[in-house]
């Protein structure tokens, strides 16, 4: 399954003659470029807007590059007007702690599903897959009440602890599929040499699973960094916010009602939105190879 | 055919002999070890999935405002939803309207991008990255970014429309255009993502020999796509469709940030209605009933899709 690398399809000789006719190729590139402009345009516009001053921002017709760029001033202001740095640290903490929990527990559980004959295993695995279809709304209310009972509201535990218990059906599924593709002979050879199943997991399975683990880590990072509903419900204190909820807070502050600012400040909001998105975009460039492959393998086997 | 009776009786006999066989110490050891490895998920599943599922089923039959203990009221919450709650049924209809607009566009858009990226292009990785980046943007950030782009007075979109002589609508401020605007935001934030990549993988699994054979028979580009490629990727389309419908009906963040359900409740989706009842009004019993109704709708819809999939989904490996 891991060999399924995305390559542009190689057209057959007859097809390539047709494809290479100038008009077709021009049309294809034209469409690809239009699509890319539509995808990247909003980013460009956000960057431009984030460097304008408030008067230029609301000028019509809009300018396509700030007349008096004040990027640094605006970005510094975002960090001072709200505890943006604090939110950044909070988000990093929640994301990293959940990521560690997800990777560790999903690997262990997936190993259990892939390698041990336990009565009822197939049924339980099927139920696990079914949970992927379950809307969060159904379990959210009792979960909230449970965490309230634990006195975990307004702490990070509700956002971190569940990740340490399996790390979610999708991640278990992805890792289990990957472990099943590793030949059993390797396990058995190690066992004959006297290795315990725990040692087999860490010294044989995990090193071979690196691409799948990297995928799970990347997906988990992005999911947690972008998580909005959880932090919205479980966190109340401003200084404990994570970035996604902070952005929303910033939006309502800048809408004009608060004492801090008297009129909408969309240029700061745009700068803040970009900074929130940036870590995920950077991560994508670092992990691109694994990331795309991981989606493909699970998508196909699903 | 003649082999079948034998295999059948073997299949019937197998579980019985398994049941009669006593477990060897090694098998028992394997089972115990396996349960230990599975235990984090057994606990997680019980505490965070199965337990809450049962609990919310019970809560949906009660009146519960968190301050006082739940009070059993039978099916009253469900009856209330259909008879007295003037927001519930419209919110369902609105949610379906959103899905009806967004799902076909999202499917066609993703497939189109996948077909384009499946051509022999220079710098495929670069293009793929361009299409993928919007889908990595946190939805909250995407919603804010588009709120600004769609500003009726000074937004970029209406400015560009004005350049070609079109008076742009009020988008998120208009009751008619708010849902199409949210569709636009959702499309931008999802069309080049995992759905597209799964399509791309599906396209690359279409056997080249089949396309070549069709070509020898004189099929043109369009014929080949319609009669070979499309039938071959129906399993991929089905997979994306099932997930896409669930994803669309659950839309929350984009509406919550862009419009907060407005203007005049024009984007008040079922997910917002549940959130409002649960975490703003703290009417946990009623919100649980709403969540269960929503869950049943999703379940029914997914079930029907699987039931009717046999009519149009073609599995090359199926016998």
């Amino acid at each position: 399954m891991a060999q399924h690398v995305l390559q542009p399809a190689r057209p057959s000789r007859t097809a390539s003659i047709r494809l290479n006719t100038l008009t077709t190729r021009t049309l294809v590139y034209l469409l690809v470029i239009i699509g890319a402009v539509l995808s990247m345009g909003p980013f460009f516009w956000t960057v431009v807007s984030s460097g304008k001053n408030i008067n230029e921002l609301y000028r019509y017709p809009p300018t396509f590059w700030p007349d008096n760029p004040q990027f640094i001033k605006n970005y510094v202001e975002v960090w001072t007007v709200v505890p943006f740095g604090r939110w950044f640290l909070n988000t990093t903490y929640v994301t990293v702690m959940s990521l560690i929990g997800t990777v560790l527990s999903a690997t262990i559980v997936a190993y259990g599903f892939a390698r041990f004959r336990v009565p009822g295993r197939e049924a339980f695995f099927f139920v696990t897959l079914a949970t992927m279809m379950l809307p969060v709304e159904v379990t959210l209310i009792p979960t909230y009440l449970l965490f309230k009972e634990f006195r975990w509201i307004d702490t990070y535990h509700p956002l971190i602890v569940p990740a340490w218990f399996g790390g979610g059906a999708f991640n278990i599924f992805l890792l289990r599929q990957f472990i099943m593709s590793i030949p059993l002979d390797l396990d058995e050879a190690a066992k004959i040499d006297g290795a315990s199943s725990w040692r087999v997991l860490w010294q044989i399975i995990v090193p071979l699973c690196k691409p799948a683990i990297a995928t799970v880590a990347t997906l988990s990072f992005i999911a947690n960094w972008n998580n909005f509903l959880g932090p919205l419900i479980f966190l109340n204190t401003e200084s404990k916010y994570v970035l996604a909820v902070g952005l929303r807070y910033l939006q309502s502050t800048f809408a004009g009602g608060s004492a801090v600012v008297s009129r909408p400040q969309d240029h700061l909001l745009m700068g803040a939105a970009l900074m929130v998105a940036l870590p995920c975009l950077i991560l994508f460039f670092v992990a691109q190879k694994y990331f795309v492959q991981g989606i493909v393998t699970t998508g196909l086997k699903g | 055919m003649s082999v079948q009776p034998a295999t059948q009786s073997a299949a019937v006999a197998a579980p019985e002999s398994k049941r009669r066989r006593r477990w060897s110490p090694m098998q028992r050891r394997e089972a115990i070890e396996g349960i230990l490895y599975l235990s984090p998920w057994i606990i997680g599943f019980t505490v965070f999935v199965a337990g809450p599922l049962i609990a919310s089923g019970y809560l949906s039959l009660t009146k519960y405002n968190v301050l006082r203990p739940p009070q059993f009221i039978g099916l009253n919450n469900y009856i209330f939803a259909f008879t007295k709650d003037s927001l519930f049924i419209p919110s369902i209809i609105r949610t379906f309207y959103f899905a009806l607009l967004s799902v076909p566009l999202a499917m066609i858009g993703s497939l189109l991008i996948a077909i384009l990226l499946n051509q022999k292009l220079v710098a495929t990785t670069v293009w793929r990255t361009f299409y993928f980046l919007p889908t990595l943007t946190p939805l909250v950030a995407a919603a804010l970014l588009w709120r600004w782009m769609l500003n009726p007075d000074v937004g970029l979109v209406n400015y560009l429309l004005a350049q070609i002589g079109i008076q742009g609508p009020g988008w998120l401020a208009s009751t008619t255009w708010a849902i199409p605007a949210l569709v636009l935001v959702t499309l931008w934030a999802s069309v080049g993502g995992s759905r597209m990549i799964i399509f791309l993988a599906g396209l690359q699994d279409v056997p080249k020999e089949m396309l070549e054979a069709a070509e020898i028979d004189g099929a043109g580009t369009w014929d080949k796509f319609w009669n070979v490629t499309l039938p071959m990727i129906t399993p991929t389309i089905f997979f994306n469709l099932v997930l896409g419908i669930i994803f669309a009906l659950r839309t929350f963040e984009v509406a919550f940030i862009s419009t907060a359900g407005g203007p005049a409740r024009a984007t008040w989706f079922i997910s917002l209605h549940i959130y409002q009842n649960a975490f703003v009004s703290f009417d946990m019993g009623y919100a649980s009933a709403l969540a269960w109704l929503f869950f049943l709708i999703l379940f029914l819809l997914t079930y029907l899709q699987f039931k009717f999939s046999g009519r149009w989904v073609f599995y090359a490996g199926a016998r």
Side-chain angles (χ1 to χ4, degrees), chain A residues 93-95 97-98 101-102 156-165 224:
Chain A
Y93 173 73
V94 170
T95 304
M97 290 304 286
S98 308
T102 299
Y156 299 124
H157 298 324
L159 305 173
I160 295 169
V161 174
W164 287 79
F165 289 91
N224 283 295

Side-chain angles (χ1 to χ4, degrees), chain B residues 21-75:
Chain B
R21 199 173 56 210
R22 289 202 47 191
W23 281 34
S24 73
M26 243 173 84
Q27 280 174 317
R28 186 173 303 153
R29 198 189 137 91
E30 185 181 335
I32 291 170
E33 270 193 308
I35 289 171
L36 282 177
Y37 285 111
L38 292 178
S39 60
W41 176 233
I42 295 174
I43 297 170
F45 176 78
T46 314
V47 178
F48 301 118
V49 182
L53 197 63
I54 296 164
S56 79
Y58 168 70
L59 282 176
S60 76
L61 303 173
T62 66
K63 193 178 162 63
Y64 184 41
N65 64 358
V66 187
L67 299 174
R68 275 190 234 135
Q71 186 192 340
F72 188 81
I73 55 166
L75 289 173

Side-chain angles (χ1 to χ4, degrees), chain A residues 7 29 32 49 117 128 197, chain B residues 30 33 37 122 131 148 204:
Chain A
Q7 286 291 330
Y29 272 101
V32 169
S49 303
R117 271 162 302 181
T128 300
S197 64
Chain B
E30 185 181 335
E33 270 193 308
Y37 285 111
V122 178
Y131 286 100
W148 174 236
Q204 293 182 357

